[in-house]
Amino acid sequence: MPTITTIRKGALEASVSSMGAQLMSLRLDGGEYLWQGDERFWPRRAPILFPIVGCLRDGFAKSAAGEVRLGRHGLARNHEHRIVERTEDSVTFRLDSTPETMRAYPYAFRLNMTYAVDGERMLQRFTVTNTGDETMPFTLGGHPAFNVPAPGADGEAFDDYELRFARPWTATSPTLDAGGLCDFDRPLSVLEDADSLPLSHELFDTYLTLTLQDVPGRTVTLLGTKGGHGVKLDFDDFPYLGVWSAPGAPFVAIEPWRGVATCRDEPDIFEEKRGMESLDPGERASYEFSVSPF
């Protein structure tokens, strides 16, 4: 059975499940900022994405080590992770490759997920180690979804929220087809010399998922324009940002990514995906982002 571990410091508290090393709760002064899951909209809360972000074409790709057969967002979110380090304000989980994972993704790996709170923000760190003897390609990302309205925001509606950026900028997003593949050759305009993007359910009916690149300062704030509550994400290590909500749902997922879903014009060669990372045997790399509720 999955276990839930709670870490805290000051007024900030986070809870993480051993199943998928998924963040289950993020509370400030007792107010819940993280989406709590609902089968009517989306049952998950903040899955980790590894070793892919998004989809492969028909769930399949070729690699130097053999066939890769992965569903949406990979395999780490569907496996039990074990705790390897625990303090009052941090916890680290570990997932090692197994014969089962290597049938889907033919590479030996170790994935450590660390969550830590400092009283004002929560840090989420991915550490990937190539434990095999071949160069290992991968992408990864976070997928935290946040309650909209935020706690303490009485009388606010979904349309009272916006994404606030560090400065005005112009942004586009690739279109997304029914199979979840990105088409960067048919971009949709998102922002034109503006520092904020008003949210609405109609926005996500149009875009399905926003895929933003080169976000100014690699920071974004989900802000309630009436009550002034929300969350700020800082993601220096992540060149892409996904933004998504289910139809009519009272949440927004704000997702730092190292890569994106397969693109329509890409070959089905795993190593040639947009934003793909690689580690040589024995190499290790870490990537982190933070969430600050207010």
Side-chain angles (χ1 to χ4, degrees):
M1 288 289 292
T3 59
I4 304 295
T5 300
T6 297
I7 56 176
R8 60 178 61 84
K9 188 167 186 178
L12 187 61
E13 182 178 275
S15 297
V16 187
S17 173
S18 59
M19 175 53 69
Q22 178 178 207
L23 182 69
M24 301 298 284
S25 177
L26 183 64
R27 297 177 295 277
L28 179 66
D29 292 321
E32 181 61 74
Y33 282 77
L34 193 74
W35 167 247
Q36 291 298 284
D38 187 328
E39 292 284 353
R40 294 174 298 170
F41 301 109
W42 183 55
R44 298 183 188 259
R45 305 184 189 189
I48 59 174
L49 317 181
F50 176 85
I52 60 168
V53 171
C55 300
L56 300 176
R57 195 189 324 271
D58 299 321
F60 170 82
K62 299 175 183 178
S63 82
E67 294 182 351
V68 178
R69 295 186 177 275
L70 293 167
R72 185 183 298 270
H73 295 323
L75 54 79
R77 64 181 187 161
N78 297 320
H79 287 264
E80 186 82 7
H81 298 229
R82 67 183 183 91
I83 294 176
V84 293
E85 188 173 348
R86 169 81 164 88
T87 68
E88 184 177 347
D89 55 15
S90 70
V91 61
T92 298
F93 294 84
R94 189 170 98 187
L95 177 68
D96 289 295
S97 56
T98 66
E100 178 187 358
T101 68
M102 292 188 72
R103 283 192 289 272
Y105 171 64
Y107 294 93
F109 68 86
R110 174 169 295 160
L111 174 65
N112 289 93
M113 292 300 307
T114 298
Y115 296 84
V117 294
D118 65 7
E120 296 182 353
R121 65 173 189 157
M122 183 202 72
L123 180 74
Q124 183 170 334
R125 180 184 298 118
F126 301 71
T127 301
V128 183
T129 305
N130 181 348
T131 58
D133 54 11
E134 299 186 64
T135 299
M136 183 180 80
F138 67 96
T139 58
L140 56 77
H143 198 308
F146 302 100
N147 287 322
V148 178
D154 294 338
E156 284 189 338
F158 192 92
D159 291 0
D160 294 319
Y161 281 72
E162 66 181 22
L163 296 181
R164 183 78 57 85
F165 298 96
R167 60 169 173 78
W169 68 306
T170 296
T172 61
S173 176
T175 54
L176 203 65
D177 71 13
L181 305 185
C182 290
D183 189 346
F184 282 85
D185 291 331
R186 294 193 302 133
L188 295 171
S189 177
V190 177
L191 285 172
E192 186 70 37
D193 194 27
D195 66 357
S196 63
L197 176 65
L199 297 184
S200 67
H201 292 301
E202 291 74 22
L203 177 73
F204 296 103
D205 290 341
T206 299
Y207 291 90
L208 302 180
T209 297
L210 293 171
T211 300
L212 305 178
Q213 188 174 4
D214 300 325
V215 174
R218 294 194 181 177
T219 184
V220 67
T221 299
L222 172 65
L223 178 67
T225 57
K226 292 181 177 178
H229 292 281
V231 295
K232 179 174 182 280
L233 277 77
D234 294 291
F235 48 96
D236 283 349
D237 293 339
F238 295 82
Y240 297 94
L241 186 72
V243 184
W244 170 75
S245 185
F251 72 79
V252 173
I254 303 177
E255 311 171 30
W257 297 338
R258 290 291 300 181
V260 298
T262 297
C263 301
R264 289 178 57 85
D265 61 350
E266 288 178 334
D268 292 323
I269 306 298
F270 196 66
E271 294 89 339
E272 298 181 15
K273 303 302 180 188
R274 185 184 291 258
M276 185 69 70
E277 306 285 324
S278 66
L279 291 175
D280 288 333
E283 282 193 327
R284 179 174 64 183
S286 291
Y287 315 93
E288 62 185 39
F289 66 88
S290 67
V291 180
S292 305
F294 57 89

